[in-house]
Amino acid sequence: MLEMKHKFNANIPIAKNMRIIIGLLVVLIVLLIFGIVRDGDTLITHKQANTLYVEDKITKVIIDGDFIRLKTEADSYKIYKGAINKTAFFQKYPVEVIEDNSYLLDIFYFLFLMLGFGFLYRMMQQNKKQQEEREQKMIKVEEKELGSNDTVEALRSKVTFADVAGIHDVKEELEEIIDFLKEPKKYRDLDIRLPKGVLLVGPPGVGKTLISKAVAGEANVPFFYQSGASFVHIYVGMGAKRVSELFQKAKEMAPSIIFIDEIDAVGKSRGEFRNDEREATLNQLLTEMDGFEESEGVIIIGATNKIEMLDEALLRAGRFDRRIHISLPDLPDRIKILELYLKNKPNMVNIEEVAHMTVGFNAAALDTLTNEAALHAMRLKGTMIETSDFEAVKDKVLLGKRKLLSFSKEEREIQAIYQGAKALVATWLDVDFDKISIVNTPFLTQEQEILSKSELLARIKVYLAGSLATQKRYKEQFTNASTDIAQAKALISKVIYEYAMADDFIVTPQQEEVLLRESVAEVKTLLETLDGALTEVKGHILSHETIKPDECRDILREIF
Ligand code: ADP
C-alpha cells in the first residue's frame, strides 16, 4: 500500500487532534456546569429533616416530583418524599407545589449529550473521510496505468523486507543504501559516496519492484515509480521533459528513490535503428544522473531483464554502478516464498513438496498458484488447503497467461548435467563462483580488476563445459546452451582483440578459431576425467537444485 508524501499533510493530524480535544473539553465543562446548576440542594436524611423541623428553621416546603425540598433562611435541602412524615411538614409550613418538569430537564440533558456525541461523531467521520480521500488518492496514483500517468508523483511505500521472502543476499546488498537514505548526513560528513544508481537485473516476477518498494519502505523515503516504456510511449518530446520533472521532484524531496522499471525501454543500446524520442530521453536521463551529487540523497533503481541490451553509457562509472542479479527462486527461496503466502491461510500443505514441484516458477507464479490452490480447496471442501490442491491446479497455472519456465523430468536431467558440468569444471579450474543452480542463472564470478590470461581461459572453458557435457551424454545439442556459447565466444574475442593476449601480441582472425578449438579439446578431455564426479554432481543438483564450490570440492575429494 502506498501513501502520499507525509510531509505534505503533516500538519493536518495535529489540527484535527486539537479540534477533537477542544470539543471534548467543551462538552465536559458544559456537562459539569449543567450538573451543578441543575440541582444545588443538599440531600438530607430523615433524621436531619426532623432536626430542622424540631428547631423550626424551615421557611417553606416545596413538593417537587419525588422530592420534598425544605427551604431555610440560609440553605436549601431536599429529601425523598417517602422518607418524612409529609403531613406534619405540610401542616406546619407553607407549601408550594412545582410542576414536575424534571423530565424536561432530563430531555434537555439528553439532547445536550446527543449533541456532544453527534459533534464528536461528525468529527470522527470527517477525519475518516479525509483519511479515505487521501488513501483513495494514493490508490489512484498506484492504480494509474503506469504507462500513461501524466504527472510525476511521490508515493510512500509501506512494504518492508518482511514482505520479501528469500533473496537474502539481495537484501543484504541493499542494506547500505537504506542506511544511506535514512541518514545521508552521516555519509556526507565522512565524505563517503554511494552509487547513484543500482541496476536490478533479473527475469520478470522475481521481485525487482517489490524489493525497491521495500527499500523505500525500510528507509521511509518517497518512492517515484516510472516505467521505461512510459517515457518513450508518450508524445514526442515528452519523454525528456518527464525525466527532468522526475529528477526535479525527487531532488526536492530527497532523500528519495526513483525506480525505473524496464529501463531497457529507454536505455536500449542505440544500435542501427535510431529512435529520436528514445535517444532524447536517454540523453536526458544521462544528463540528470551526471548532474547531481551522490550526496544529494537520491538513489535511482533501474530494473531490467536484458542487461545486454542496455546502452553502454548507462553502465558507465557514476551511473548504474552497482548491479544486483536476481534469479528465479531456488528451492530454499521457493520454500520461504510459499511459507509467506500460506502464512495466513489455514493449511496442511507440505511446503517442501510443493517447492519441489515448482522448479522454474517465479514468485508471482507461486502467488497465483497458492491462490488457485486455496480456491480449489474452498470449492471442494471449504476447509484446509492441502498439498493435493496445489497438485490439482499446477497445470492450470502453468497453462495460464504467463508463460513459465518449468522443466519436465527429462529437461531437469539435461539441465542438471549441463549446470553440473559448469560447476565441476569451474571448481577444478579454480574459477570462483557463488553457486550454480538448475534454473538458468547467470554464471557470476568474483569481480576482479586484473585477470590473467589463464583465468580468462578457465572462464571460457566453464562456459563451454555445459554444452560439451550434454553432447557427450546425449549425443545431441540443446538450446539451453546458447547464452553460454555466446559468452564463451565474446570472451575469446576479448582475449584476442581487446587484451591482445596472443603470445607475440600480433592479432589475426585465425587466433580466435584456434583458441576456441583448443578450449573445446581441453574441456572434452577434462570431462572424461570428471565423468564419475559429474554423475554425483548431477544427483546433488537434482535433489538440491543448486551446488556450491564447497560441495563440488567434497565430491571431487571423494572420487580422487
Ligand atoms: P518484477 O519487478 O521482478 O517483475 P515484482 O516485484 O513485480 O517482480 O513481483 C511480482 C509479484 O510477485 C508481486 O506480487 C510480488 O509481491 C511477488 N513477489 C516477487 N518476489 C517476491 C518475494 N521475494 N517474496 C514475496 N513476494 C514476491
Side-chain angles (χ1 to χ4, degrees), residues 77-245:
Y77 304 95
K78 65 176 176 182
I79 183 163
Y80 287 111
K81 226 183 207 172
I84 49 166
N85 179 354
K86 288 176 294 241
T87 342
F89 280 82
F90 293 168
Q91 279 169 2
K92 194 169 174 187
Y93 302 111
V95 180
E96 188 183 311
V97 180
I98 55 172
E99 291 273 324
D100 184 10
N101 58 359
S102 64
Y103 69 94
L104 279 178
L105 275 174
D106 283 342
I107 289 173
F108 186 60
Y109 192 54
F110 178 74
L111 281 178
F112 201 84
L113 264 179
M114 289 311 289
L115 207 73
F117 280 123
F119 175 66
L120 266 180
Y121 179 74
R122 214 180 132 228
M123 271 182 27
M124 273 156 68
Q125 284 299 97
Q126 260 180 3
N127 200 357
K128 209 168 126 198
K129 209 172 129 209
Q130 278 177 2
Q131 179 81 18
E132 273 172 8
E133 271 172 13
R134 240 178 300 148
E135 273 173 15
Q136 209 56 42
K137 240 190 251 168
M138 295 161 212
I139 290 167
K140 254 189 232 146
V141 172
E142 196 183 13
E143 279 177 351
K144 235 183 239 175
E145 224 252 279
L146 293 166
S148 69
N149 49 352
D150 39 16
T151 48
V152 175
E153 303 212 43
L155 309 169
R156 181 158 288 261
S157 162
K158 281 185 188 160
V159 179
T160 67
F161 275 175
D163 303 307
V164 187
I167 51 174
H168 182 71
D169 35 349
V170 177
K171 290 185 193 172
E172 243 174 31
E173 285 219 43
L174 292 167
E175 285 289 353
E176 196 181 42
I177 305 257
I178 294 172
D179 193 52
F180 167 68
L181 289 167
K182 273 188 188 159
E183 287 184 88
K185 192 175 172 301
K186 189 171 84 183
Y187 288 76
R188 222 173 289 148
D189 290 349
L190 292 171
D191 197 26
I192 299 175
R193 272 184 267 159
L194 277 195
K196 289 176 180 177
V198 177
L199 198 61
L200 298 179
V201 187
V206 294
K208 298 186 291 296
T209 313
L210 184 72
I211 192 97
S212 308
K213 281 186 190 168
V215 171
E218 289 280 342
N220 198 18
V221 299
F223 181 76
F224 291 87
Y225 177 101
Q226 287 291 308
S227 90
S230 77
F231 285 132
V232 278
H233 287 166
I234 47 179
Y235 313 107
V236 177
M238 288 295 283
K241 186 166 168 276
R242 173 78 62 90
V243 170
S244 73
E245 201 182 312

Side-chain angles (χ1 to χ4, degrees), residues 415-437 440-446 451 453-470 480-489 491-492 515-516 518-524 526-527 530 534 541 547 549 552 556:
Q415 193 65 6
I417 291 281
Y418 185 93
Q419 299 288 66
K422 271 160 71 181
L424 261 186
V425 170
T427 312
W428 190 265
L429 298 177
D430 268 337
V431 177
D432 215 0
F433 64 96
D434 183 25
K435 64 181 175 188
I436 282 184
S437 114
N440 260 327
T441 49
F443 179 71
L444 294 177
T445 47
Q446 299 288 340
L451 282 165
K453 182 176 176 186
S454 43
E455 279 165 335
L456 287 169
L457 295 186
R459 287 184 185 194
I460 293 169
K461 286 171 198 156
V462 174
Y463 285 128
L464 295 171
S467 175
L468 292 171
T470 46
N480 60 341
S482 63
T483 323
D484 284 342
I485 303 286
Q487 294 266 28
K489 286 188 173 170
L491 211 47
I492 287 178
L515 187 51
L516 182 58
E518 279 173 6
S519 305
V520 168
E522 275 176 49
V523 176
K524 278 186 174 168
L526 190 52
L527 285 173
L530 297 175
L534 183 54
I541 294 184
I547 194 154
C552 281
L556 285 171

Side-chain angles (χ1 to χ4, degrees), residues 232 237-241 243 266 270 275-287:
V232 278
M238 288 295 283
K241 186 166 168 276
V243 170
V266 189
R270 293 172 235 205
N275 174 334
D276 289 345
E277 176 61 3
R278 191 171 59 223
E279 211 150 295
T281 313
L282 175 59
N283 284 335
Q284 188 65 37
L285 183 62
L286 297 173
T287 314

Side-chain angles (χ1 to χ4, degrees), residues 334 338 349-362 364-377 379 385-412 545:
R334 285 202 305 280
L338 286 164
V349 176
N350 182 338
I351 291 187
E352 212 156 301
E353 207 176 303
V354 177
H356 270 291
M357 67 190 190
T358 47
V359 184
F361 273 60
N362 60 21
L366 289 174
D367 192 7
T368 315
L369 181 73
T370 311
N371 212 38
E372 287 291 334
L375 277 175
H376 186 264
R379 245 181 274 130
I385 312 170
E386 290 172 31
T387 314
S388 57
D389 294 309
F390 278 87
E391 278 158 4
V393 298
K394 186 186 155 200
D395 288 343
K396 182 178 164 197
V397 174
L398 275 178
L399 293 171
K401 273 182 251 149
R402 292 164 202 270
K403 191 177 172 312
L404 284 172
L405 163 81
S406 185
F407 297 131
S408 66
K409 192 165 171 295
E410 201 192 348
E411 284 168 330
R412 274 168 59 94
E545 283 189 24

Side-chain angles (χ1 to χ4, degrees), residues 327-347:
S327 26
L328 286 173
D330 57 9
L331 184 69
D333 275 359
R334 285 202 305 280
I335 292 178
K336 285 188 200 124
I337 294 169
L338 286 164
E339 275 168 357
L340 178 76
Y341 290 160
L342 281 166
K343 200 170 68 186
N344 297 320
K345 297 186 172 74
N347 74 87

